[in-house]
Amino acid sequence: MLFRLLRLILILALVVSAPPSFEAMAQALGQGAAGLVTDQQKVIQGLTAKTDDLEKKIQQDGEDDASLVDIRLQLEDLSRSALTSALAFRSRLTDINNRIEVLGPPPAAGQPQEPDIVTGERQALASEKAEINAVVASAQNLSIRISGLIDKIGNMRSALFRNLLTKRYVLSDALSPQVFSDARDEFGNFYKAVSSWLSFAIKFKFQAILAATFVALGLALVLLVGGRRLFGRVFEADPSNEDPSYLSRLSVAFWSTLLPTLAVAAFLGSTIFFFNYYNVLRGDIGLFLNALAAVIGVVFCVNRLTNAALEPRLPNWRLIPVETGPARWLVRLTTAMAVVISFNTFLSIVNDKMGSPLSLTIARSFVATIIVGVILILMAMLRPFKARDGSWRPWPAWLRYTSLGLGLFTIIAALLGYIGLALFVSLQVVVTGTALITAYIGFLSAQAIGEEGAFANTSVGRWLSANSSYEDTALDQLGLVVSIAINLMIVLVFLPLILLMWGFQPGDIEAWAYKLATGINIGSVTISVTGILSGIVVFVIGYFLTRWFQGWLDGSVMARGKVDTGVRNSIRLAVGYAGVALAALVGISAAGIDLSSLALVAGALSLGIGFGLQNVVSNFVSGLILLAERPFKVGDWIVAGDVSGTVKKISVRATEIETFQRQSVILPNSNLINNAVGNWTHRNKLGRIDIKVGVAYGSDVKQVHAVLLDIARSHPLVLKNPEPFVLFSNFGPAALEFEIRVFLADVMNGNIVQNDVRFTVLEKFDDQHIEIPSTPRAVVEAKKHQAWPTDDDKIEADFAEQEEAKAQAEAEAKKLPKPRKSKKPDPD
């Protein structure tokens, strides 16, 4: 109750303090919202009208697959526009909801009435929200309707494809003598159309034809000459090489197919483009010329592929080890099959454009499929291999039976009247087979290039090795990059081509590419290839900028400022970690990943971090503390437990210490934080070393003290302040013990000073006849082991002689008389 009363007083204060501006603001907001609602209503009405027209067009062009694909693309554009129209109210709806929440619910019965202006504003906001919701609902309904039409188009296209493959034609009418007369008439009509166009073009467009032809020929000449100069070693087999490597054969086969085919395609495409640019072509002739260009391209590609893989003239460059005669026959049969299929496709376009009888179309397709089937059977019956005994061997069983089965299936399907199915199979055998074989050779070539040391043996690798500073490791990594690039290129080139051959339209590929680029929804997660690539590019740019800034800060700023090496290392590491973390965050945001969605994952991982990763986190935090507090720095001499050495690197997980034996010891940072660490060079390198010396009892200790002190003072590395000191430290068990204590400017030179002082002590003591006692050592005689006997027979003989001598001695002892025992004397 108190809260509501305070809120009412606050609203009244606002109303009394500035009523004109409040009303003006509400009126301006209402006018702006009303204009937005009106604009979006007009947009949705226009989208609805376009949807109605496309729905009617679906019924009219239901038998044309390409037209259905075009309609589907237009519907998808309309659907995106409808969703965009609905999203236009998002910010306004958020403002309205926030404002309604601020105003609160209307007062209940029995409570004080709120001001009329508050009530009016609440009603206006509710009315505006209702209008916006109505427009949003209209946009959503339109999007749902469009989705239904898109599904309908998909079902219609599936039905068309099934009808194409399963429709059966009557062959009796198609193979009647009337077909020949129809074919003669169609040829006459085609000749008249082409001749009339030629006469018109020569008469009125002769200069344009010459210009287009010369430009296309010039482009073809540039491609041929430039291609041979740049890639001659790549796609041309070297006859002088009698034993080319497998990688060389793969590369020549792949590139000698792909590059010339692309050159021919560019030439044909540029010819048609310039003819259209100069208005040389009319509708039907343009269609015929496009079909003819496709025929030439397919036949050329098939011929180049078979020649590259079989190489009838160069047996050493063949990918398939067949004999020369069968190789030539395979090239001829494959090219003939491509010519038949391509020519049939060209005639189908001509017949469709000129409205030929159905019987002529069936007869043409029937003849083409029968020829393709016969060619497949002939290829299966070839014996391309020769055994050692001179006999000819056939193809492997799986390949032979596959080719034979496809040929028989095509012929039987054509004879049964399934012309569409037979023609589809024939087309896929030629075109799809060619594309798949070329792509497979390309994949093998990329795999061979990606192997260790393979790229350096290629012509490009040898050129880079001779003309650049690349080492073998860099060339090997570059080979991996080239391998990945070739694989991506093959997928991007051949996948759309194969999809087109299998009945998909360019619009289908365009739609899939758009969805792949803009985002694919998997549950509540949206995966966008464009976003991911953008995030990767942003991260890479941020990473290299961080590395550049690190180098500039360390080499140009801190080096000129004579900053300590340890401080430079700490700052450089901190900047590096911060820059990489920032680049990662920006890259994730650029990829379209909502960082707030990672909060749940971070919360779930916190438990695992607390238990399973506590050592890692402890070392990480300890590393940050070491970089911040700097109890030691790079270059310091530290002692940590049993480890003593120089600090080489401090990272966030561990610290690298190099001992004086050049051993690298990696210590976790938590050990350096939790345990005692000695630092000889923490503040400076000033340090004291102690050298123990013992002299014999009876020596003049004052003389010894003076000699030792003089030795310490005379060394050039010993500091005069603090001055050296000699301590008579103890009466030892075997000597009088002294300690030389000296201070050095650089304690790292301690071993050198100790070595020099000890040599000098020996020299001075020898001159002064001062004895250094030594502890006597016990002499231990080594026990000599009896040699292992080498002659067992001799040992046995010696043993027998000893036993015999012993027996003789005992026998002689028995023959001797026994001595009498002396009697004891009688006592006196």
Side-chain angles (χ1 to χ4, degrees):
M1 183 67 184
L2 181 61
F3 176 74
R4 292 190 176 184
L5 182 61
L6 291 175
R7 187 179 63 189
L8 180 61
I9 294 173
L10 179 61
I11 293 174
L12 289 175
L14 291 174
V15 172
V16 172
S17 62
S21 61
F22 185 82
E23 293 178 355
M25 182 178 64
Q27 184 177 5
L29 289 174
Q31 291 177 355
L36 180 61
V37 170
T38 303
D39 294 339
Q40 296 304 320
Q41 284 178 344
K42 292 180 180 179
V43 170
I44 293 176
Q45 289 175 359
L47 296 177
T48 304
K50 292 180 180 179
T51 304
D52 295 337
D53 295 337
L54 291 177
E55 187 174 8
K56 295 177 181 179
K57 195 174 181 180
I58 291 174
Q59 302 299 329
Q60 297 174 359
D61 301 337
E63 299 296 328
D64 187 357
D65 186 70
S67 178
L68 290 176
V69 172
D70 183 63
I71 294 173
R72 192 192 71 178
L73 292 176
Q74 297 182 40
L75 288 173
E76 289 178 351
D77 291 338
L78 294 179
S79 178
R80 287 191 289 268
S81 301
L83 292 177
T84 303
S85 179
L87 293 176
F89 296 101
R90 176 181 293 178
S91 60
R92 181 55 186 162
L93 283 175
T94 302
D95 295 339
I96 291 174
N97 292 329
N98 293 335
R99 185 60 184 165
I100 291 176
E101 185 178 357
V102 170
L103 294 177
Q111 292 184 350
Q113 296 292 327
E114 62 183 2
D116 294 338
I117 189 171
V118 177
T119 304
E121 183 182 0
R122 182 184 291 107
Q123 293 176 354
L125 291 174
S127 175
E128 182 183 353
K129 185 177 180 180
E131 292 179 357
I132 292 176
N133 287 333
V135 178
V136 172
S138 300
Q140 291 177 348
N141 292 334
L142 180 60
S143 179
I144 294 172
R145 178 189 173 191
I146 292 173
S147 299
L149 293 176
I150 292 174
D151 294 338
K152 181 180 178 181
I153 289 175
N155 296 330
M156 294 175 65
R157 293 186 62 204
S158 299
L160 286 175
F161 186 71
R162 289 194 301 269
N163 184 44
L164 174 65
L165 297 183
T166 59
K167 187 175 181 180
R168 186 177 181 181
Y169 297 92
V170 180
L171 298 180
S172 58
D173 297 336
L175 300 179
S176 63
Q178 182 65 29
V179 173
F180 296 99
S181 60
D182 292 339
R184 186 172 56 254
D185 295 339
E186 288 300 319
F187 178 77
N189 295 332
F190 176 73
Y191 178 77
K192 290 179 182 178
V194 174
S195 60
S196 63
W197 169 77
L198 282 175
S199 60
F200 167 78
I202 292 174
K203 185 176 181 180
F204 298 101
K205 298 288 185 178
F206 182 72
Q207 294 181 352
I209 291 176
L210 285 179
T213 304
F214 278 118
V215 171
L217 286 176
L219 179 60
L221 211 60
V222 170
L223 288 173
L224 289 176
V225 176
R228 288 187 177 277
R229 287 184 175 273
L230 292 176
F231 305 104
R233 295 182 179 180
V234 177
F235 66 83
E236 288 185 355
D238 185 7
S240 61
N241 191 350
E242 297 181 356
D243 188 19
S245 63
Y246 182 67
L247 175 60
S248 300
R249 286 182 287 163
L250 280 175
S251 300
V252 168
F254 177 68
W255 295 109
S256 65
T257 300
L258 184 62
L259 293 179
T261 302
L262 291 179
V264 172
F267 167 68
L268 296 174
S270 62
T271 302
I272 296 174
F273 170 79
F274 287 119
F275 276 13
N276 287 321
Y277 180 79
Y278 290 112
N279 296 321
V280 175
L281 301 177
R282 66 189 189 195
D284 55 347
I285 301 300
L287 188 63
F288 298 158
L289 191 58
N290 287 329
L292 183 61
V295 168
I296 295 173
V298 170
V299 173
F300 181 83
C301 179
V302 172
N303 183 262
R304 287 296 304 178
L305 176 61
T306 53
N307 275 286
L310 298 174
E311 281 292 348
R313 297 173 299 173
L314 300 174
N316 295 332
W317 287 88
R318 290 174 192 162
L319 287 178
I320 305 173
V322 298
E323 296 298 322
T324 302
R328 291 189 181 129
W329 273 108
L330 285 172
V331 171
R332 294 167 186 168
L333 292 175
T334 307
T335 306
M337 189 163 51
V339 170
V340 171
I341 290 297
S342 302
F343 188 66
N344 178 71
T345 304
F346 174 75
L347 292 180
S348 66
I349 294 174
V350 173
N351 292 339
D352 291 341
K353 186 64 179 178
M354 302 187 66
S356 303
L358 180 61
S359 59
L360 185 60
T361 301
I362 296 173
R364 169 183 46 79
S365 301
F366 175 80
V367 173
T369 53
I370 293 295
I371 294 175
V372 171
V374 171
I375 292 176
L376 288 173
I377 293 174
L378 291 176
M379 292 173 66
M381 295 174 63
L382 273 177
R383 294 179 177 269
F385 306 107
K386 183 178 289 188
R388 293 182 179 179
D389 57 357
S391 61
W392 292 92
R393 293 189 295 109
W395 295 104
W398 66 270
L399 183 59
R400 183 170 71 255
Y401 290 129
T402 300
S403 178
L404 189 63
L406 287 174
L408 292 175
F409 177 82
T410 303
I411 294 174
I412 293 172
L415 292 175
L416 293 177
Y418 295 100
I419 304 298
L421 179 60
L423 190 61
F424 179 78
V425 173
S426 302
L427 183 63
Q428 302 317 314
V429 167
V430 176
V431 182
T432 306
T434 302
L436 288 176
I437 292 173
T438 307
Y440 180 68
I441 294 175
F443 284 129
L444 291 179
S445 177
Q447 182 180 358
I449 290 176
E451 293 181 355
E452 185 176 359
F455 183 74
N457 295 325
T458 62
S459 58
V460 178
R462 289 191 293 268
W463 183 85
L464 288 176
S465 178
N467 296 277
S468 65
S469 59
Y470 285 111
E471 298 180 354
D472 293 339
T473 304
L475 288 176
D476 189 55
Q477 295 175 350
L478 184 60
L480 292 177
V481 175
V482 173
S483 175
I484 296 173
I486 292 175
N487 287 325
L488 290 176
M489 185 192 69
I490 292 171
V491 172
L492 294 177
V493 171
F494 289 98
L495 182 60
L497 180 61
I498 293 174
L499 291 176
L500 290 175
M501 292 302 103
W502 279 82
F504 294 95
Q505 299 293 334
D508 295 322
I509 301 175
E510 180 183 350
W512 294 337
Y514 179 81
K515 289 181 180 180
L516 190 65
T518 56
I520 300 174
N521 294 325
I522 302 176
S524 59
V525 180
T526 301
I527 299 177
S528 172
V529 176
T530 304
I532 293 174
L533 292 177
S534 301
I536 293 175
V537 170
V538 170
F539 173 75
V540 171
I541 293 175
Y543 176 82
F544 282 107
L545 285 177
T546 301
R547 295 305 182 203
W548 170 82
F549 183 74
Q550 276 184 296
W552 175 79
L553 183 65
D554 183 47
S556 299
V557 178
M558 293 188 291
R560 293 183 181 180
K562 307 299 181 183
V563 181
D564 184 72
T565 305
V567 178
R568 290 169 57 182
N569 179 72
S570 300
I571 294 176
R572 185 173 65 251
L573 287 176
V575 170
Y577 288 125
V580 172
L582 181 62
L585 292 176
V586 175
I588 291 173
S589 301
I593 300 175
D594 188 6
L595 295 177
S596 62
S597 63
L598 300 177
L600 182 61
V601 179
L605 289 177
S606 61
L607 184 62
I609 292 174
F611 290 98
L613 302 179
Q614 54 183 348
N615 291 333
V616 176
V617 176
S618 175
N619 290 326
F620 179 78
V621 176
S622 300
L624 297 179
I625 294 174
L626 291 177
L627 292 174
E629 292 186 354
R630 298 181 59 250
F632 52 83
K633 57 186 180 297
V634 174
D636 283 356
W637 174 17
I638 68 172
V639 178
D642 297 334
V643 180
S644 177
T646 306
V647 178
K648 288 298 182 181
K649 182 180 180 182
I650 304 174
S651 61
V652 292
R653 192 199 67 83
T655 297
E656 180 183 348
I657 300 175
E658 184 180 291
T659 65
F660 296 106
Q661 291 82 20
R662 301 300 182 187
Q663 179 189 23
S664 295
V665 179
I666 310 300
L667 286 179
N669 289 330
S670 58
N671 293 354
L672 300 174
I673 289 293
N674 299 326
N675 301 323
V677 178
N679 190 347
W680 285 92
T681 56
H682 181 50
R683 301 295 181 187
N684 49 53
K685 293 186 178 182
L686 178 66
R688 193 191 78 182
I689 61 172
D690 301 337
I691 307 171
K692 294 183 180 181
V693 179
V695 298
Y697 278 92
S699 302
D700 187 353
V701 294
K702 292 186 177 295
Q703 180 186 7
V704 172
H705 183 274
V707 171
L708 294 179
L709 188 61
D710 181 65
I711 292 173
R713 289 174 176 173
S714 62
H715 197 282
L717 296 180
V718 175
L719 295 178
K720 301 299 186 290
N721 186 22
E723 63 179 354
F725 179 73
V726 177
L727 176 66
F728 186 6
S729 60
N730 191 22
F731 294 97
L736 301 174
E737 298 177 356
F738 290 82
E739 284 187 8
I740 303 175
R741 298 179 178 179
V742 297
F743 289 87
L744 306 179
D746 188 354
V747 74
M748 303 296 290
N749 296 324
N751 290 332
I752 299 175
V753 174
Q754 290 180 7
N755 191 56
D756 295 343
V757 168
R758 290 190 178 102
F759 274 112
T760 307
V761 166
L762 289 176
E763 294 176 0
K764 295 292 184 181
F765 278 14
D766 186 57
D767 294 340
Q768 300 292 332
H769 303 289
I770 300 174
E771 182 183 356
I772 299 177
S774 60
T775 303
R777 299 180 181 179
V779 178
V780 180
E781 293 183 358
K783 183 178 180 180
K784 296 182 179 180
H785 296 280
Q786 188 174 359
W788 188 263
T790 57
D791 192 350
D792 294 339
D793 295 335
K794 185 176 184 304
I795 293 174
E796 291 178 0
D798 294 342
F799 181 76
E801 290 178 358
Q802 293 176 4
E803 291 293 328
E804 184 178 358
K806 185 177 180 182
Q808 290 178 358
E810 290 178 354
E812 292 178 356
K814 289 180 180 181
K815 294 179 180 180
L816 294 177
K818 296 182 178 179
R820 290 184 176 183
K821 296 182 179 179
S822 61
K823 296 182 179 179
K824 295 182 180 179
D826 294 336
D828 292 338

